[in-house]
Amino acid sequence: MEHYNMNLNLKVWRQKNSNTKGSFKMYRVENISSEMSFLEMFDVLNEQLIEVGEDPIAFDHDCREGICGACSMYIDGKPHGPWHGNTTCQLHMRAFKDGDTIVVEPWRASAFPVIKDLVVDRTAFDRIIQAGGYISVNTGNAVDGNALPINKDKADASFDAAMCIGCGACVAACKNSSAMLFLSAKVSHLALLPQGEPERKSRVLDMVAQMDKEGFGSCTNTGACEATCPKEISISYIAQLNSEYLLAGLTKE
Amino acid sequence: MLDAKIPSGPIENKWTDYKGHCKLVNPTNKRKLEVIVIGTGLAGASAAASLGELGYKVKTFCFQDSPRRAHSIAAQGGINAAKNYQNDGDSTFRLFYDTVKGGDYRSREANVYRLAEVSANIIDQCVAQGVPFAREYGGLLSNRSFGGVQVQRTFYAAGQTGQQLLIGAYQALERQVALGNVTQYSRHEMLEVVIVDGKARGIIARDLVTGKLERHFGHAVVLCSGGYGNVFYLSTNAMGSNVTAAWKAHKAGAFFGNPCYTQIHPTCIPVSGDHQSKLTLMSESLRNDGRIWVPKKQGDNRKPNDIPVDERDYYLERRYPAFGNLVPRDVASRAAKERCDAGYGVGTSKQAVYLDFASAIERYGKIEVTKQGRDANSATHEEIITLGKQVVKEKYGNLFDMYEKITGENPYEVPMRIYPAVHYTMGGLWVDYELMTTVKGMYALGEANFSDHGANRLGASALMQGLADGYFVIPYTIGNYLADEIYSKAISTDHEAFVEAEKKVADRIHTLMNIKGKTSVETFHKRLGKIMWNKCGMARNEKDLQEAIVEIQALRKEFWKDVKILGEINEFNPELDKAGRVADFLELGELMCKDALLRKESCGGHFREESQTEEGEALRQDNEFMYVAAWEFESESSWKLHKEALNYEVIKPTQRSYK
């Protein structure tokens, strides 16, 4: 891989806190190596800002290996930027070239209010899980792990749904700010396993009710969520969610 | 000598006897008892959920925006358990033995045995929660091998085992939140522990969004705040991982055990430049199939695929024929360093070795051909390679993708370049058998404590320990303490101990903000990291360590004179959060060097150059150092050493050999 350096213009959303209005501000960074990650480029920018006495840009990030789900930048009109199946922290600067102008915004959704700059409040996701995104088993109650064989295909499909990192890119990508992909991933993860069976109906009904309460929009099947999901979670899980919801609603006692 | 309060009796009965005799708290009293849990990774989430289920009133604190983001989530390879599902000779005893040997005979036998004993329950619990472990076509759980071990006892979920286990524990925790048993405080950081009459009774936490300080009472405080690998600046830890909670506990009286025991993981993506902010691990599970090599010729600049097999040095297979590429982490790391230092390193930096999947791809491809009912020789080479790649993709796909995203190279075609990096800290707060620190009512679980991994942790054992402590140990041991606390009413947070503790925190934050110097927090952190890595890293010697202590002291002085933190106190201010953490690392680093200096032996992850065999292997000095070094904080740069003797009653320590 050939490495190169570049100079970039950055148009970044600055917002002091949730009570003040934000706006874009232009910055310039120079000699950025193509080997850097996008967040390392932001580290360089922030060091530059500290040097001149300007408040550094706040952004969420933690593991920087694409799994914790903390990072959340809306880059050039796409959550997590131009690469497919990728998080912001794993985006590397070889995706850009010298002279580019990059626009960086926070997730935009009324259920995700801005805390500062590029940081948003995603606790709505925790509350959706609290509404039923679990299997009610207390510690110590479990039977032997191999007592209940599970069809491999089903276990694999369940795992594919369980890969969701709860970053919220699906919501940010959706014109309706719908959380259906996030919700469907959790409902499907648990509904596909025999352990999830006893609470299958109440789970989907309660979680959907909570999602609505949080102010997320409806799904109109545009597929933007699937296209942007860093873990490439399939929109077919939304179909599974719909059928789970319908069945639960119809057969509820 | 410290007393670990290990129950008497044969090792296999200790835990059962303990559980049979420890004090219990009845359900109505549990409702009146409050427990604070710091950190929501595997240890914290599992502890908080289990204590909530029992009926205690629990509060959890994490600095991330959600408990689900704790760094346990990044663990890749798997979790060990002595299930013996493979019928390959595994047992509780063997897992216990492997872990003690892997830890180079510097861990506490009784704790490790208990860990092995409850390991099987963890798998059952996780399966019941809906953790989608990998399965075979028959529907049963699948296993793989990990380093330092000759059985297959590692359970996994692709390369995302930590994520799946943490989501399981997180969901159990959120259920308790919904039931009202647990109150969750995210974006909060513990900055002081409150001690009343010698017992931990609460904490001072800072709301990281508003910057406000809060007082929280608890009848007990459980620290599950993880490890301190970020003292090296570059590590596989998350950016936010820190020692602050543990360090505050230490300064409030909790002894710090074996601080110098650091695990340097052999297979990480090498550093690419000065801009590097963190290092990324490539799971140890890759060593099941990947072969590690360097060119036989020094400074060989040919592309890896142009170097013929007989001009490659598969140095692990050469040096350790019995375990080959699956030697424990400390051994593999040192061997890589040795080759690179001797001038055989590869890549632009020459600080890397190859991890090559070509033979695995070919081997799997041939198996796939025979599965189709054909003779392996009848297939073309391309056919075999295509089929083999599919198998490798199924096993390690996400790791290969991650490698390609970071390096821009395709590891299905060219060997990965890897180099050791700081990954885990075996040291931590000293705890007794009940996981209580030397402060009454304060516990430490998971990576935050020191107890189970000795001087080197085996792969897939961190997840096991975090969950063992949280699900199966603390629910019993905390009851033994809280049973005597049922008469203790909740202490008002207006109590002078809370007022004082809060003042101490506020003063420190004000001091930090008012330095108004010229140098950023990041710069200090990087400089500390360089000192630690160069002088207290993979190989240590007396001269370097003595120098490092002086350098760290000077750097700390400079920090408190010249650090530059912008923004305000009462707002969301990540720079201020980071400054507090780096200030603590600047104290911890000194203690780590002092501990490393004292231990004039090589053991596990601690390699003292002065103590090695003629073949360059680590040489322990059991006569002198068969103890846990537990440090008591006295004042700045001054600690008192306490020792806990390690008595091996069951296993006879020998010089570790993986040849």
Side-chain angles (χ1 to χ4, degrees), chain B residues 73-89:
Chain B
I73 202 144
Q76 298 169 353
I79 175 165
N80 287 330
K83 280 286 198 187
N84 194 31
Y85 283 158
Q86 303 306 323
N87 192 33
D88 57 359

Side-chain angles (χ1 to χ4, degrees), chain B residues 186-497:
Chain B
S186 298
R187 295 201 197 266
H188 274 66
E189 181 160 33
M190 174 192 136
L191 291 178
E192 197 54 74
V193 41
V194 178
I195 295 179
V196 179
D197 298 332
K199 292 176 176 174
R201 290 302 192 194
I203 61 160
I204 304 298
R206 183 161 171 269
D207 178 334
L208 299 180
V209 176
T210 64
K212 297 258 170 10
L213 297 181
E214 296 173 1
R215 304 171 189 176
H216 294 275
F217 166 81
H219 287 91
V221 176
V222 182
L223 293 171
C224 309
S225 48
Y228 48 85
N230 270 349
V231 68
F232 291 88
Y233 185 74
L234 284 182
S235 80
T236 66
N237 285 188
M239 302 302 286
S241 300
N242 65 79
V243 77
T244 291
W247 197 249
K248 303 303 180 197
H250 171 56
K251 290 179 85 172
F255 295 1
F256 212 104
N258 298 329
C260 81
Y261 286 170
T262 310
Q263 174 156 87
I264 318 277
H265 195 292
T267 54
C268 300
I269 301 178
V271 176
S272 70
D274 283 339
H275 56 265
Q276 194 101 23
S277 60
K278 79 152 269 158
L279 297 169
T280 302
L281 176 77
M282 287 287 107
S283 168
E284 178 160 318
S285 60
L286 293 172
R287 285 197 276 141
N288 270 306
D289 285 315
R291 295 177 70 195
I292 294 177
W293 63 275
V294 291
K296 276 186 180 165
K297 204 169 77 189
Q298 277 172 329
D300 192 332
N301 285 324
R302 285 178 291 176
K303 289 190 177 145
N305 292 340
D306 294 343
I307 301 176
V309 173
D310 60 354
E311 291 178 39
R312 301 175 179 184
D313 177 15
Y314 294 90
Y315 58 86
L316 287 178
E317 296 168 32
R318 168 171 59 81
R319 284 176 70 178
Y320 309 101
F323 282 70
N325 291 295
L326 281 173
V327 290
R329 292 176 175 178
D330 55 334
V331 178
S333 290
R334 274 197 295 278
K337 179 176 155 58
E338 187 276 328
R339 283 292 81 185
C340 292
D341 288 353
Y344 296 91
V346 300
T348 40
S349 66
K350 301 290 170 203
Q351 290 291 304
V353 300
Y354 290 125
L355 176 62
D356 193 342
F357 293 87
S359 4
I361 288 171
E362 195 173 332
R363 175 163 48 89
Y364 284 124
K366 283 183 180 158
I367 294 172
E368 288 304 299
V369 172
T370 53
K371 274 190 191 166
Q372 293 171 357
R374 299 158 60 195
D375 182 348
N377 296 323
S378 72
T380 64
H381 185 66
E382 283 73 36
E383 247 184 309
I384 291 170
I385 298 302
T386 309
L387 288 167
K389 279 182 188 167
Q390 281 166 10
V391 177
V392 169
K393 189 173 168 54
E394 165 133 354
K395 289 185 148 199
Y396 311 113
N398 69 317
L399 300 170
F400 277 51
D401 290 349
M402 188 150 76
Y403 182 85
E404 188 169 1
K405 275 177 197 160
I406 294 173
T407 63
E409 292 172 356
N410 177 356
Y412 293 100
E413 304 293 340
V414 288
M416 287 182 178
R417 284 172 297 112
I418 52 149
Y419 196 69
V422 173
H423 179 54
Y424 185 92
T425 47
M426 283 73 70
L429 294 173
W430 185 89
V431 290
D432 62 19
Y433 187 72
E434 297 183 297
L435 305 183
M436 198 192 284
T437 66
T438 48
V439 175
K440 273 189 192 138
M442 185 153 69
Y443 295 81
L445 276 56
E447 191 178 350
N449 77 28
F450 87 102
S451 70
D452 293 2
H453 307 296
N456 173 59
R457 179 175 65 76
L458 288 182
S461 286
L463 304 185
M464 171 169 72
Q465 188 220 339
L467 292 179
D469 288 359
Y471 284 135
F472 297 109
V473 179
I474 195 73
Y476 292 91
T477 61
I478 206 169
N480 198 40
Y481 172 73
L482 291 175
D484 293 332
E485 295 293 326
I486 54 174
Y487 303 107
S488 310
K489 291 232 166 56
I491 296 171
S492 159
T493 51
D494 294 331
H495 187 282
E496 58 178 12

Side-chain angles (χ1 to χ4, degrees), chain A residues 1 16 35-36 40 43 47 50-51 53-54 56 58 60-65 67-70 83 85-86 90 92 94 115-116 119-120 122 126 129-130 133-140 142-146 148-150 152 155 158-159 162-166 182 186 189 193 195, chain B residues 50 53 64-69 73-74 76 83 85 124-125 127-130 132 135-141 157-158 160 163-164 167 170-171 174-175 177-178 184 187 209 236 238-240 272 275-278 394 402 404-406 408 471-472 520 522-523 564 566 571-572 575:
Chain A
M1 194 77 202
K16 192 164 172 54
E35 285 187 288
M36 281 188 194
E40 283 165 353
D43 293 342
E47 285 296 294
I50 293 169
E51 180 75 34
E54 185 177 340
D60 264 326
H61 64 110
D62 201 23
C63 76
R64 294 204 179 187
E65 47 188 275
I67 194 75
C68 77
W83 284 358
N86 194 53
Q90 294 290 75
H92 277 64
R94 62 180 183 278
I115 291 175
K116 184 178 181 178
V119 176
V120 297
R122 285 170 287 188
D126 285 338
I129 299 297
Q130 285 159 20
Y134 44 75
I135 287 165
S136 295
V137 51
N138 281 2
T139 305
V143 295
D144 185 88
N146 263 349
L148 189 59
I150 301 174
K152 186 178 187 313
S158 171
F159 172 74
M163 284 206 296
C164 169
I165 57 175
F182 167 76
K186 189 45 64 194
H189 159 212
L193 298 171
Q195 289 88 348
Chain B
S50 303
E53 288 160 8
Q64 300 91 341
D65 71 324
S66 165
R68 66 178 294 156
R69 312 232 191 267
I73 202 144
Q76 298 169 353
K83 280 286 198 187
Y85 283 158
D124 301 339
Q125 182 64 28
V127 168
Q129 288 171 344
R135 288 179 183 269
E136 305 292 348
Y137 281 99
L140 301 178
L141 294 161
Q160 284 148 268
Q163 180 200 23
Q164 295 308 317
I167 297 294
Y170 160 72
Q171 288 172 186
E174 295 308 293
R175 174 172 164 249
V177 173
Q184 179 172 299
R187 295 201 197 266
V209 176
T236 66
M239 302 302 286
S272 70
H275 56 265
Q276 194 101 23
S277 60
K278 79 152 269 158
E394 165 133 354
M402 188 150 76
E404 188 169 1
K405 275 177 197 160
I406 294 173
Y471 284 135
F472 297 109
S520 70
E522 191 75 357
T523 308
K564 181 178 190 179
L566 298 169
E571 67 170 355
F572 188 77
E575 280 297 305

